[in-house]
Amino acid sequence: MMITDLIDQQDFLARLRAWGISPPAKLADCEPLLKDQLKGPEGALWQERLETLLAQRALLHPEVLALVESSLKNP
């Protein structure tokens, strides 16, 4: 697998926009946003979305993987 095959920070931010939210400019600032989404009325949907990404663990850039794991651990 080439590094270009990874879901990187920009891919992840684009995915958040596709899911209907405006992400911050930096990946590091996404954790509070994801935690709010997990606690909100669509929490189950966001849990499913993040778990689906986590299932693609081998394709996630290490920083994206860390963010998703952290968000799911402590919603």
Side-chain angles (χ1 to χ4, degrees):
M1 172 180 8
M2 295 179 60
I3 193 82
T4 57
D5 294 336
L6 293 177
I7 297 170
D8 67 9
Q9 296 177 17
Q10 294 305 315
D11 295 331
F12 183 73
L13 296 175
R15 196 169 291 209
L16 291 178
R17 283 189 290 279
W19 288 337
I21 60 173
S22 296
K26 296 187 301 182
L27 185 71
D29 297 331
C30 286
E31 192 168 351
L33 175 69
L34 291 176
K35 288 183 183 214
D36 286 346
Q37 294 300 319
L38 287 165
K39 290 179 185 176
E42 294 185 336
L45 174 62
W46 281 92
Q47 177 90 20
E48 181 181 328
R49 286 173 172 168
L50 294 178
E51 286 176 356
T52 298
L53 278 177
L54 200 54
Q56 300 172 29
R57 171 181 305 272
L59 297 177
L60 295 177
H61 185 279
E63 291 177 1
V64 174
L65 176 61
L67 171 68
V68 172
E69 286 179 331
S70 175
S71 296
L72 286 171
K73 273 186 207 172
N74 304 308

